[in-house]
Amino acid sequence: MRFDVITLFPEMFSAIKSEGVVARGIKKSLLSINTWQLRDFSNNKYKNVDDKPYGGGAGMVMQVKPIRDCINKIKQKKPKTKVIYLSPQGKKLTHKLAKELSELDSITLLCGRYEGVDERIIEHDVDMEVSIGDYVISGGELASMVLIDAVSRQIPGVLGNTDSLNDSFANNLLDYPHYTRPDTIDNQKVPEVLLSGHQANIDSWRSEQSIIKTREKRKDLLQK
Ligand code: 4H6
């Protein structure tokens, strides 16, 4: 998978490029992240990419031309790339969507700043609008990084295949509780079954706990 990211803050992506699951996927050549500085596509000497909104009001809007030029440049190498705009108006990012996106060969992520992009970009250049949840953040970069992480861990080989590591949301259930040494601390004990060595009993305890925790914390998931 190749991710191309259009942003005014390419340095923010050094975080996921250098640490964790995404970094490991890059080292294994299972994915790559290519950032594009949108200012490089500006058409004026001040490197502006925004302008005042028609109709007035507060804030600025990202202009069509630099974004369209940048997308067309990316399409020279990846003509079939799926262009995704991260915004509060998008389709909600879920395990299911992350898994579907992980089967693509190329994704282009457009990161909004200011009040977002000129609507004509969404109409003409964007294939899918995606939201990471019902809240507002100051720019699309963090949302893009969330999407890159969630999608990357679905690419076969990226996780250190301790296989069922991500079965949890696949079945619309929460993960079971985890414990490590010591077996007792401040009078809190690890559930006996986990110390029994009886793997079938451990497996059924964990499935049961998944269902109990889902009922306690996320009843909405059980109705799906
Ligand atoms: C597009 C339009 C994604 C992107 C406007 C991005 C939340 C999500 C942004 C804006 C985002 C999400 C710019 C509006 C800053 C608020 C960037 N917020 N904003 N839920 N912000 O996926 O002002």
Side-chain angles (χ1 to χ4, degrees):
M1 164 79 69
R2 173 180 166 119
F3 293 100
D4 286 277
V5 184
I6 303 168
T7 172
L8 290 170
F9 299 101
E11 296 76 19
M12 288 180 70
F13 292 82
S14 60
I16 56 170
K17 283 182 180 178
S18 65
E19 305 289 337
V21 162
V22 175
R24 225 173 303 138
I26 295 170
K27 278 193 202 121
K28 291 187 185 175
S29 297
L30 294 170
L31 54 110
S32 62
I33 301 175
N34 308 275
T35 54
W36 299 81
Q37 170 53 268
L38 187 59
R39 286 198 197 288
D40 294 343
F41 294 81
S42 168
N43 42 20
N44 64 68
K45 62 178 169 180
Y46 308 104
K47 300 282 166 202
N48 295 316
V49 295
D50 61 323
D51 205 340
K52 294 173 290 184
Y54 278 117
M60 300 289 272
V61 176
M62 294 172 81
Q63 294 171 294
V64 169
K65 189 69 165 47
I67 296 172
R68 188 161 287 164
D69 287 350
C70 185
I71 289 173
N72 288 338
K73 178 94 184 202
I74 292 166
K75 285 187 170 174
Q76 286 177 7
K77 197 181 287 259
K78 289 287 182 185
K80 291 184 175 170
T81 191
K82 193 174 196 84
V83 179
I84 296 179
Y85 179 47
L86 284 304
S87 97
Q89 282 84 46
K91 177 186 167 96
K92 195 81 63 73
L93 181 63
T94 59
H95 171 84
K96 179 167 173 279
L97 180 56
K99 184 140 188 140
E100 287 166 10
L101 294 176
S102 74
E103 305 189 352
L104 298 173
D105 156 67
S106 165
I107 293 176
T108 295
L109 299 167
L110 174 57
C111 302
R113 284 275 160 176
Y114 313 107
E115 302 307 311
V117 303
D118 186 306
E119 190 68 17
R120 291 168 291 187
I121 284 291
I122 299 171
E123 285 170 7
H124 184 275
D125 304 79
V126 167
D127 297 311
M128 184 186 274
E129 244 181 307
V130 172
S131 166
I132 60 164
D134 288 338
Y135 45 84
V136 170
I137 54 180
S138 327
E141 287 79 9
L142 289 172
S144 283
M145 286 190 262
V146 167
L147 184 148
I148 290 170
D149 189 294
V151 169
S152 296
R153 41 187 295 124
Q154 298 303 325
I155 297 172
V158 168
L159 285 188
N161 234 12
T162 340
D163 52 297
S164 56
L165 261 185
N166 54 73
D167 281 358
S168 101
F169 267 109
N171 317 314
N172 271 310
L173 287 174
L174 301 183
D175 204 359
Y176 53 77
H178 303 271
Y179 298 87
T180 188
R181 292 184 291 179
D183 63 13
T184 306
I185 185 164
D186 300 334
N187 288 323
Q188 291 179 290
K189 286 191 188 320
V190 170
E192 204 62 56
V193 63
L194 298 179
L195 310 176
S196 69
H198 192 305
Q199 199 58 48
N201 286 354
I202 292 170
D203 292 347
S204 58
W205 180 85
R206 284 176 169 169
S207 313
E208 182 181 85
Q209 286 295 311
S210 262
I211 297 165
I212 292 170
K213 293 294 176 194
T214 307
R215 195 191 306 122
E216 284 173 4
K217 301 183 183 193
R218 290 291 310 276
K219 218 182 223 104
D220 61 297
L221 290 176
L222 291 174
Q223 333 296 355
K224 292 203 192 179

